[in-house]
Amino acid sequence: MRPAAARQGGGRTVLAHPDPYRARRGIPAGRTAVSPRPGRRVRGWLAGMLPSLRLRLVVVFAVAALSAAVVVSGISYWLNREAVLTRAQDAALDDFRKMLGDHAGTLPPGPRCDQLRDAANAMADTTQNYAVLLIDQDGGGGRCQVTSDDAFTLADVPGTLREAVREERAVDEANSAPHHLYWQRVTQGDTPYLVAGATVIGDGPTGYLLKSLEPEQDDLNSLAWSLAIASALALVGSVLLAQAAASTVLRPVQRLGDAARRLGEGKLDTRLTVSGNDELADLSRTFNSAAASLERRVAELSAREQSSRRFVADMSHELRTPLTAISAVTEVLEEESENLDPMIAPAVQLVVSETRRLGDLVENLMEVTRFDAGTARLVLDDVDVAELVMACMDARAWLDAVELDAPLGIRARLDPRRLDVILANLIGNALKHGGSPVRVAVRTEQTGGAGEVLVVEVADRGPGIPGEVLPHVFDRFYKASASRPRSEGSGLGLSIAQENAHIHGGRITARNAPGGGAVFTIRLPRDASGLDQETAEPQDACEAGDTPTARWDGEDGR
């Protein structure tokens, strides 16, 4: 409720012009001040909630635009609301003040009810379209209450406003009139109203007005809808702008991610096109510099590795010629060992064994070099696995020392020479380091979508493989006993067996059986013809006809 002062001047009742801003500052008693609603801060929940950077940018832009639009719209609505309501109420109060002075102020003391009614009707007959209620005492001492609209009664006037209107104040320097004009906004149902009242100075009647603010409320509702639509358009525009900004920012990031992915796949010549001088351009230049440095480094390492492989291959190849001659001599010496001097025979036997060991080592090195260079190829053939296992053991006189559980009729398409190498290493290793009996089992297993798998298990009854050794049994040159670096094995047998399994698309695993002993399990595709490698004939005589590792390679994994 905002009061406006009524003043008296020159012997005639004059009501002061209602100034709501002045009333806010200095008019006492009975007024209701409306304080502005405090602003609210918008808090975004982004970290850990949004899956992508693009979505985060869009949400940030949208929240920022929506917050700005809501703040601007709220301020605009509040200012327009104050302006519209203040203009309407000031016009109504100014007109009521004037009409109250022109009509009610000219009535004689103790007017009749009909005179009071005529004054109320005359006061209501204005362009402001408000209802008037006048209250006074008639000449007989009775109370006369008249209204220009039967819908407007004294009950519609708030009690605090009636008390303020009736209150008579002392006239002094700070207060020039005993009565003032007071007003208040109320809501009846869903319709806002302006209620005001004042008492005519000099025992005059008390008048109240009731003005509907529904037209102003309709205008404010239209303004609110317009601001809401503008905020929605701002939100849509911000989302579109965020999409454009995200595309501008994230497109280089996406290209950088794709380039990093290609670089990780081994495409070391991957480079980014650099344009501009911003941070993303600097990042692209850094990536190109790192990729070029990595390419040079990898090229250097590849060249060194190729040189090392070539050196091993050349050395092994060059050693084969003198080894062939030495082997021929050692065979002659071995045949004549019985006729040699007993003092010389042990030395001759040592030369023969070491020559054979050196020959096996050279052949193993050449085989490893083929695997490293990627030149090893499969020579596939349809074989009966049980017959192949028995042929491997028969060639090495192992039939009496091995239990075979391999039903005939299990056929597979694989490289028989390489499977023979695998079996020779595993069975020989079990016989050398495990405990009898050694058992070899052959079976097939069905796998989902990959066809049948050939499974060969080689188990012994030895002490098993120590836990710290088990992860390294297929490492090259690994020997379980560091105190026995000099032994019959080279440490390459199990590694070569694993490489032969890999080239078939399979693998070999090692474990300890619950009841004791080591178990090596070979898993190979039953048909290796579908592998992604070319099936080619061997490239040299050794790979075509020799059996470079058809023997156990002791000290591997035990």
Side-chain angles (χ1 to χ4, degrees), residues 341-355:
D341 188 330
M343 298 295 295
I344 302 176
V348 171
Q349 192 62 37
L350 178 62
V351 170
V352 170
S353 62
E354 290 299 316
T355 300

Side-chain angles (χ1 to χ4, degrees), residues 289 291-301:
S289 176
S293 177
L294 179 61
E295 185 178 17
R296 289 193 300 270
R297 184 61 176 170
V298 170
E300 293 175 1
L301 293 177

Side-chain angles (χ1 to χ4, degrees), residues 532-545:
D532 293 334
Q533 74 162 17
E534 297 179 359
T535 301
E537 292 296 330
Q539 297 182 356
D540 53 36
C542 173
E543 190 165 351

